[in-house]
Amino acid sequence: MFSNKEEFKSMFLQKLEMMYGKTFNDSTKRDQYHTLGNMVREYISSNWISTNESNRAENNKQVYYLSIEFLLGRLLGQNLLNLGIREVVEEGLNELGIELRQIEEAESDAGLGNGGLGRLAACFLDSLASLNLPGHGLGIRYKHGLFDQKIVDGYQVELPEQWLRHGNVWEVRKPDQAVEVSFWGKVEFLQKENHYVFRHVDAEVITAVPYDMPVIGYKTKTVNTLRLWNAEPSPHYHSYDVLKYKRETEAVSEFLYPDDTHDEGKILRLKQQYFLVSSSLQSIVNSYRKRNGSLADFHKRVAIHVNDTHPVLAIPELMRILLDEEGMGWDEAWEITTQTISYTNHTTLSEALEKWPVHIFKPLLPRIYLIVEEINERFCRELWEKYPGDWQRIEHMAIIAHDVVKMAHLAIVGSHSVNGVAKIHSEILKQREMKLYFEVFPQKFNNKTNGITHRRWLLKANPELTSLVSEVIGIEWIKKPEQLIELKRQAYDPSLKEKFSVIKKHRKEILAQKVFEQSGIKIDGDSIFDVQVKRLHAYKRQLLNVLHIMYLYNRLKEDSTFTIHPRTFIFGAKASPGYYYAKKIIKLINSVADKVNQDPQISKVLKVVFVENYRVSLAELIFPATDVSEQISTASKEASGTGNMKFMMNGALTIGTLDGANIEIMEAIGIENMFTFGLKADEVLNYYENGGYNSTEYYHHDGRIRTVVNQLTNGFFPETADEFEPIADSLIVQNDQYFVLRDFASYVESQEHVNRAYLDQTKWIEKAIINIAHSGYFSSDRTIQEYADQIWGIEPIGVKI
Ligand SMILES: *Cc1c(COP(=O)(O)O)cnc(C)c1O
């Protein structure tokens, strides 16, 4: 390929002319992007082949990470960085008079996920490849990723996302490896000697065509694979209504469901889940059979991980293959299946727990349903032996009960490992949500605290801070992020602090520029950038943040002696299109923004910005520019959070509740380097169990609360009085399920600490550096190493070139 910038330049120009039949001067940014993308793909193709050949030759254990979401973002910049050719390319392009950044912006985000769960899957792929681990992703090639968000008159408007409109340079279609997935129809069984043989007949068959994307490790030769499945009509299936069949087939991989931590219960979603699982299992088994023949030792060479319950049908699907295709007996098939599958739980929110009505499940997946029924019967029989007569417990624990299939129950029973995503979350699973299962299977339960890839969230997003860190502690931390801890000794060095401060300011100016382009709002780089970016959800409590801003507005208006350091509150969040309340909160944020920004006095010290269309590429601009990270969920509700880690790694200080991974962040950095407030998880859970919370008491006894809650409906905003009534009702009439008013005073006080602390810049920056120093533990490299050692039992590969 190319080994210096001169070679790069000439190859780039040649390739551009070959691909587009035009000269460089006539080319568009998109032409240049596609040219560069294709060059990178060619650059890695031999390593990609070698990785696959190595895996075949070594016949080593492989892990397959099944996830209904992969929130990848843009790939060009990251791939160049991981290949170690970013600088050569950047310099070469500069000599041609173009900025790499501009070319990168021609790439659409691969937004095949909603939020944390999907982004976790993407970070894990990067860590697997960078640690030379044989691990691959399997997902769906949605034609439309998460919707594009526009804000019109303060309201969210959703537009279909179109990431494939101009093609996808990273994918390779593999039609020869297509498989068929069956729905509907019925099951026939015949007795053969001493057992039954099952056949799924009269099924509607669709074709799953794999599109493979390379996953490039950081400065290694490993190139793993992300396989995304596309749903297409099968040439072998004869339908009476061809158009209807085509339409319904293509619908399976058309849209990502835009619900975050919420179960939709729609038949198309179940179809998507089985489509992912069946095509993935067939493909894994096909490749295993080529290497090993019989499936008797399948679990010794294959680990399959299910990211939340969405791919949990992998359990009955693997059973189906072992029983019906391989002809195994139940017990042997069950042993192999449970030893192969492991499961991560992502939430304890009851509205997120997947339950499929039998009347939907059974007709759509008749053979799979029979297997789930058999799993359930055998499990209930075991429970009966362990707890004779305790029918109530068995009813609670059953996989199928009251005509619904409980996916989390199937996941626990059919896997060998069940993990939560932060210590507190894993404890809540064991002691509360999954207590009855913990009693039966204590050895299955474990914790794997989430992480983020520092290669995207520090190296790529914040090259200036990356260089500074390397200047101070050398470059070894890049391969071993825990070595960031060495920064701690330098936290008090004035020259480091000065340089950090210059970088932070620079990054704030970059974000300010972006905000101005997007919204026309001018924000001040000397103000505190206070940021809450994450999905919009009641439990994440964007409302608490907004009510605090309203309180600041009121206080500044009425009390001329009240002064604060200027603050810019930045929000970014998509609301699920059907989540009425979340959309109301977006409107409220925008109404408060108008009120604050249009007030000539107040806007000198306060600004409020809602950034449109929050997604990975925007996130990369936001984290490096942040001073204050808002992690203010109702304690016990946020399983882990990963945004908290990205902020910390970029030297923002956290204001947060003791929830999810905030607790482990606090334990790492020390409570003096964070602003904590509010109810603890056990206090919240205690209120839920025993009652005793009355939100109206807080309304009546705290004038600040009374004022801001009244302002929602008393004409303070130009909107009609009923615009925000649902929000006021949630707080007062519905007794404030998420304890916003309960935590209000504590939050205000904590925000006062933030304001005071920021005034002492020296100490503030020391705290920021201590945050960065401890962020290495929250690299997904640590997380993935734990999964590899403790759950999957996989070893690094030696890629031979
Ligand atoms: C990290 C990330 C999330 C998750 O944020 P949380 O604060 O943990 O909910 C969501 N969306 C995007 C684009 C992210 O990068």
Side-chain angles (χ1 to χ4, degrees):
M1 281 302 277
F2 53 89
S3 46
N4 59 49
K5 70 180 170 195
E6 293 308 321
E7 279 175 33
F8 164 73
K9 274 196 303 188
S10 82
M11 278 193 70
F12 177 73
L13 294 174
Q14 194 188 356
K15 179 106 194 159
L16 186 91
E17 288 184 5
M18 268 167 31
M19 281 179 66
Y20 294 98
K22 29 179 148 163
T23 63
F24 173 70
N25 285 331
D26 292 334
S27 66
T28 65
K29 284 284 168 293
R30 188 180 303 138
D31 299 337
Q32 296 162 10
Y33 162 72
H34 279 273
T35 303
L36 197 47
N38 275 288
M39 286 174 74
V40 171
R41 237 189 53 206
E42 284 169 24
Y43 191 95
I44 55 106
S45 60
S46 65
N47 282 353
W48 200 3
I49 293 167
S50 311
T51 303
N52 290 331
E53 279 180 352
S54 245
N55 283 328
R56 260 196 300 274
E58 291 184 25
N59 202 10
N60 50 351
K61 191 172 189 182
Q62 306 284 308
V63 63
Y64 298 96
Y65 195 84
L66 268 58
S67 180
I68 204 86
E69 302 188 2
F70 286 92
L71 189 47
L72 302 168
R74 292 179 179 143
L75 299 171
L76 175 63
Q78 192 69 51
N79 285 344
L80 291 171
L81 189 126
N82 283 15
L83 289 167
I85 57 175
R86 199 185 157 94
E87 270 149 40
V88 171
V89 168
E90 201 160 17
E91 286 166 19
L93 291 172
N94 282 348
E95 290 182 10
L96 296 171
I98 39 179
E99 294 271 348
L100 175 56
R101 289 211 169 266
Q102 289 178 308
I103 296 187
E104 284 177 56
E105 279 168 20
E107 180 172 4
S108 305
D109 276 47
L112 311 183
N114 275 286
L117 174 146
R119 184 54 231 177
L120 185 78
C123 285
F124 279 6
L125 293 181
D126 184 69
S127 286
L128 282 164
S130 296
L131 296 172
N132 295 315
L133 290 165
H136 313 281
L138 290 150
I140 295 175
R141 182 178 177 270
Y142 301 106
K143 183 174 176 193
H144 304 285
L146 186 62
F147 64 86
D148 277 330
Q149 179 193 55
K150 286 253 173 275
I151 301 296
V152 178
D153 291 335
Y155 297 99
Q156 167 175 293
V157 174
E158 302 99 27
L159 303 171
E161 189 278 345
Q162 303 256 30
W163 72 298
L164 294 173
R165 189 172 28 191
H166 307 293
N168 174 4
V169 297
W170 307 112
E171 66 186 14
V172 184
R173 182 179 163 95
K174 301 266 175 76
D176 55 314
Q177 294 185 49
V179 295
E180 309 238 288
V181 179
S182 301
F183 298 101
W184 311 108
K186 57 182 198 270
V187 178
E188 283 181 355
F189 54 102
L190 24 130
Q191 194 150 17
K192 239 191 186 175
E193 290 145 34
N194 56 351
H195 66 286
Y196 286 108
V197 176
F198 294 84
R199 274 186 349 131
H200 186 181
V201 297
D202 300 338
E204 181 179 300
V205 175
I206 72 175
T207 300
V209 180
Y211 283 71
D212 286 354
M213 295 172 70
V215 181
I216 302 168
Y218 180 80
K219 296 189 179 171
T220 80
K221 295 191 187 304
T222 299
V223 180
N224 289 335
T225 300
L226 169 58
R227 174 161 282 193
L228 299 178
W229 295 100
N230 198 48
E232 300 178 14
S234 165
H236 310 299
Y237 179 71
H238 299 287
S239 162
Y240 292 104
D241 187 341
V242 179
L243 286 179
K244 180 164 173 271
Y245 168 65
K246 182 172 185 291
R247 197 171 57 240
E248 289 182 357
T249 298
E250 289 168 355
V252 172
S253 58
E254 187 135 272
F255 281 100
L256 164 76
Y257 273 87
D259 288 295
D260 193 58
T261 62
H262 189 269
D263 174 30
E264 264 276 295
K266 294 264 164 53
I267 193 161
L268 182 58
R269 171 74 167 194
L270 186 60
K271 252 184 150 172
Q272 287 186 335
Q273 295 184 353
Y274 185 66
F275 174 73
L276 164 64
V277 155
S278 181
S279 51
S280 299
L281 266 288
Q282 291 182 60
S283 139
I284 296 166
V285 166
N286 287 345
S287 112
Y288 181 89
R289 279 207 180 106
K290 272 189 207 143
R291 280 178 285 144
N292 302 283
S294 139
L295 299 181
D297 287 337
F298 188 72
H299 55 296
K300 295 183 186 159
R301 294 204 151 84
V302 172
I304 295 175
H305 198 86
V306 296
N307 191 26
D308 212 326
T309 53
H310 322 125
V312 147
L313 295 178
I315 293 162
E317 178 67 2
L318 182 51
M319 287 297 287
R320 182 190 68 78
I321 292 169
L322 297 173
L323 297 167
D324 298 358
E325 294 181 11
E326 192 78 356
M328 257 179 213
W330 183 276
D331 291 336
E332 188 186 4
W334 184 244
E335 179 65 16
I336 291 172
T337 298
T338 53
Q339 288 311 305
T340 301
I341 308 270
S342 48
Y343 155 65
T344 296
N345 174 283
H346 282 269
T347 177
T348 57
L349 297 181
S350 57
E351 64 269 32
L353 289 184
E354 288 198 293
K355 294 188 193 88
W356 289 102
V358 169
H359 72 85
I360 290 179
F361 193 127
K362 190 174 172 179
L364 183 68
L365 306 168
R367 177 61 183 130
I368 294 301
Y369 183 74
L370 277 182
I371 293 170
V372 174
E373 242 183 356
E374 181 73 25
I375 294 171
N376 181 50
E377 272 170 32
R378 288 171 184 251
F379 176 57
C380 289
R381 225 175 293 145
E382 275 176 40
L383 289 177
W384 189 260
E385 278 164 30
K386 194 171 163 73
Y387 305 104
D390 194 349
W391 55 268
Q392 206 179 349
R393 176 188 299 256
I394 296 167
E395 184 186 321
H396 274 303
M397 296 183 74
I399 296 165
I400 306 171
H402 304 291
D403 296 318
V404 293
V405 182
K406 298 178 182 174
M407 304 296 260
H409 295 191
L410 178 57
I412 303 169
V413 175
S415 65
H416 65 93
S417 169
V418 176
N419 76 279
V421 290
K423 276 187 202 162
I424 184 181
H425 169 59
S426 297
E427 285 306 310
I428 290 173
L429 290 180
K430 288 193 291 186
Q431 287 161 25
R432 294 174 186 260
E433 304 302 317
M434 297 179 171
K435 187 169 188 285
L436 298 182
Y437 290 93
F438 181 56
E439 279 172 31
V440 178
F441 307 115
Q443 73 291 351
K444 291 191 186 186
F445 285 80
N446 66 92
N447 173 248
K448 297 287 167 281
T449 299
N450 279 169
I452 55 164
T453 169
H454 58 290
R455 289 167 290 272
R456 183 171 290 261
W457 298 112
L458 186 49
L459 274 69
K460 173 158 187 288
N462 201 342
E464 300 87 350
L465 183 56
T466 301
S467 301
L468 176 60
V469 170
S470 296
E471 188 186 309
V472 176
I473 63 169
I475 59 166
E476 237 184 292
W477 67 274
I478 296 173
K479 284 267 177 182
K480 295 183 174 142
E482 304 223 5
Q483 291 192 14
L484 280 170
I485 199 67
E486 303 201 355
L487 268 182
K488 208 173 174 183
R489 281 188 284 124
Q490 316 283 333
Y492 305 96
D493 172 4
S495 95
L496 171 59
K497 281 189 275 192
E498 176 55 27
K499 287 173 184 164
F500 174 84
S501 157
V502 169
I503 289 168
K504 185 59 87 178
K505 183 73 194 297
H506 171 63
R507 298 300 318 208
K508 287 165 83 171
E509 296 299 344
I510 293 174
L511 180 61
Q513 181 61 34
K514 179 79 185 176
V515 166
F516 183 71
E517 282 163 21
Q518 204 190 67
S519 67
I521 300 172
K522 285 210 161 108
I523 60 177
D524 174 8
D526 288 322
S527 66
I528 302 173
F529 281 20
D530 178 320
V531 180
Q532 188 170 21
V533 286
K534 47 181 76 248
R535 282 301 286 265
L536 203 312
H537 203 292
Y539 85 83
K540 292 178 183 277
R541 296 200 298 191
Q542 281 91 354
L543 179 57
L544 178 57
N545 190 341
V546 180
L547 294 182
H548 169 249
I549 299 169
M550 290 169 67
Y551 153 74
L552 285 179
Y553 173 95
N554 294 334
R555 184 84 195 272
L556 287 163
K557 276 278 180 197
E558 74 200 15
D559 179 355
S560 61
T561 67
F562 181 69
T563 57
I564 54 169
H565 188 88
R567 219 176 299 184
T568 302
F569 290 97
I570 297 170
F571 293 85
K574 288 178 183 173
S576 177
Y579 193 172
Y580 175 77
Y581 179 82
K583 291 178 139 181
K584 283 283 172 196
I585 302 285
I586 290 181
K587 174 64 177 167
L588 177 62
I589 295 169
N590 285 307
S591 295
V592 171
D594 288 343
K595 195 93 189 168
V596 166
N597 301 344
Q598 283 163 22
D599 187 304
Q601 285 313 114
I602 301 296
S603 62
K604 284 182 193 155
V605 279
L606 291 186
K607 281 275 167 64
V608 180
V609 178
F610 188 97
V611 292
E612 219 169 54
N613 208 24
Y614 177 58
R615 62 198 188 283
V616 171
S617 57
L618 243 190
E620 289 172 37
L621 287 178
I622 292 172
F623 291 109
T626 297
D627 298 306
V628 178
S629 156
E630 297 272 353
Q631 307 301 334
I632 59 178
S633 54
T634 308
S636 81
K637 296 286 178 188
E638 187 76 90
S640 163
T642 49
N644 45 6
M645 303 168 187
K646 301 168 198 166
F647 281 115
M648 170 199 200
M649 194 172 269
N650 282 279
L653 304 197
T654 303
I655 180 165
T657 45
L658 292 178
D659 198 18
N662 296 353
I663 297 176
E664 286 159 76
I665 291 175
M666 191 267 281
E667 286 168 356
I669 63 183
I671 196 160
E672 67 282 7
N673 294 305
M674 188 162 154
F675 303 93
T676 61
F677 72 95
L679 291 174
K680 314 280 184 288
D682 56 345
E683 295 171 318
V684 170
L685 295 168
N686 197 38
Y687 272 133
Y688 284 132
E689 263 165 39
N690 307 316
Y693 176 53
N694 186 349
S695 66
T696 55
E697 283 174 21
Y698 292 82
Y699 173 83
H700 287 300
H701 293 136
D702 189 330
R704 302 167 301 182
I705 292 178
R706 206 160 50 247
T707 304
V708 295
V709 172
N710 289 346
Q711 283 171 331
L712 294 173
T713 53
N714 70 5
F716 173 75
F717 295 110
E719 284 75 20
T720 58
D722 49 294
E723 179 75 53
F724 301 123
E725 196 172 271
I727 299 175
D729 279 0
S730 77
L731 294 172
I732 304 301
V733 181
Q734 295 159 53
N735 199 32
D736 183 20
Q737 272 197 67
Y738 295 99
F739 302 97
V740 172
L741 303 188
R742 178 70 178 76
D743 279 349
F744 181 83
S746 175
Y747 181 59
V748 170
E749 193 188 335
S750 192
Q751 285 287 16
E752 286 165 0
H753 290 306
V754 170
N755 180 65
R756 233 171 298 139
Y758 195 80
L759 299 180
D760 187 343
Q761 272 297 292
T762 302
K763 282 217 183 107
W764 181 278
I765 296 169
E766 284 165 19
K767 291 177 199 290
I769 292 169
I770 290 168
N771 268 267
I772 301 167
H774 285 281
S775 69
Y777 178 79
F778 299 97
S779 166
S780 46
D781 289 6
R782 185 268 312 153
T783 314
I784 280 297
Q785 195 62 58
E786 291 177 3
Y787 276 90
D789 295 341
Q790 298 163 25
I791 299 179
W792 301 328
I794 53 168
E795 304 265 356
I797 42 177
V799 183
K800 295 178 193 71
I801 305 295

